[in-house]
Amino acid sequence: MAKGKLYLLPTTLGSEGYKHVIPEEVSEFAKETRFFAVEDIKTARRYLRKMDRSFPIDDSTFFILNKKTDPAELYKMLKPLSNGDNVAIISEAGCPGIADPGAELVALAHEKGHFVSPLTGPSSILLALMGSGFNGQSFSFHGYLPKVRKERIKSLKDFEGDARRNGTTHLFMDTPFRNMNVLEDLLNDLMDDTKICIACDLTLPTERIQTMTVKDWRDNAFDLHKRPTIFAIGR
């Protein structure tokens, strides 16, 4: 019997529609899959029903895959592959496996010799980099910033220094309710001529991507509270 495959199935970044960011072939594949490793079952079910109102939710199996998942549970998620069934990972937003617990399941799949295939969809990190105007050949994504302000400022200054010396682009994010704290630190603690890109609500009707110096941002900052945002420091 042929083994199934582990697919990384992208979802939207929060928009109600999906056709503008999810290729038709990907949505068709999702409709045929019955085993899913998901960060949140309710969100995943809503997404599948969005693509197909008659999607057989009750005939499908959903494994919870988040930062609290016991590593031993990962083996159960891969079991359908041995029976010839495909398994798809669905994150809360965007592409699985990037700043996401799905990476652990992918690593185990490789270890066990299973076929892994990432499918095309929106990545807030790449979209922000594309729209920033910064160096796209040398860049680093740092994920979430430290919660402690002193440590957060140190990280931001390190990014700034490397960007100014080497031209490296540094991308990072924080939980949406801390966005304004991050913005405040950027504008209060970095040099006036340091360039910052703010990519907010990507792919949504309220999307805004803007690159300016710290000095200009002080006069043109806008409300980022509870809005999904990627920040970038570059040259």
Side-chain angles (χ1 to χ4, degrees), residues 41-57:
I41 292 179
K42 184 177 180 180
T43 302
R45 287 176 172 174
R46 187 187 307 124
Y47 175 51
L48 293 168
R49 278 280 169 84
K50 188 184 298 182
M51 291 190 287
D52 180 2
R53 291 183 179 179
S54 61
F55 187 89
I57 295 293

Side-chain angles (χ1 to χ4, degrees), residues 190-210:
L190 298 191
M191 299 181 186
D192 286 355
D193 60 345
T194 292
K195 289 188 176 181
I196 296 171
C197 176
I198 295 177
C200 179
D201 290 343
L202 291 166
T203 75
L204 306 184
T206 52
E207 175 184 80
R208 182 172 178 183
I209 306 175
Q210 187 72 49

Side-chain angles (χ1 to χ4, degrees), residues 33-118:
T33 304
R34 295 295 177 268
F35 292 91
F36 301 91
V38 304
E39 202 165 352
D40 182 87
I41 292 179
K42 184 177 180 180
T43 302
R45 287 176 172 174
R46 187 187 307 124
Y47 175 51
L48 293 168
R49 278 280 169 84
K50 188 184 298 182
M51 291 190 287
D52 180 2
R53 291 183 179 179
S54 61
F55 187 89
I57 295 293
D58 294 336
D59 295 330
S60 301
T61 299
F62 294 87
F63 304 102
I64 297 178
L65 178 59
N66 57 35
K67 60 184 180 181
K68 296 181 180 179
T69 299
D70 188 322
E73 293 296 311
L74 300 179
Y75 291 89
K76 296 179 182 179
M77 300 179 196
L78 296 180
K79 190 173 181 179
L81 301 179
S82 299
N83 298 326
D85 294 306
N86 295 326
V87 177
I89 302 176
I90 304 179
S91 181
E92 269 293 86
C95 297
I98 304 175
D100 176 80
E104 295 182 15
L105 185 59
V106 173
L108 182 61
H110 284 303
E111 182 182 322
K112 297 301 179 182
H114 293 296
F115 184 96
V116 174
S117 178

Side-chain angles (χ1 to χ4, degrees), residues 1 18 21 56 102 116 126 129 133 147-148 159 161 174 193 203 234:
M1 178 186 296
Y18 71 91
V21 290
V116 174
L126 289 180
L129 180 61
K147 294 181 181 179
V148 179
F159 302 160
D174 213 319
D193 60 345
T203 75

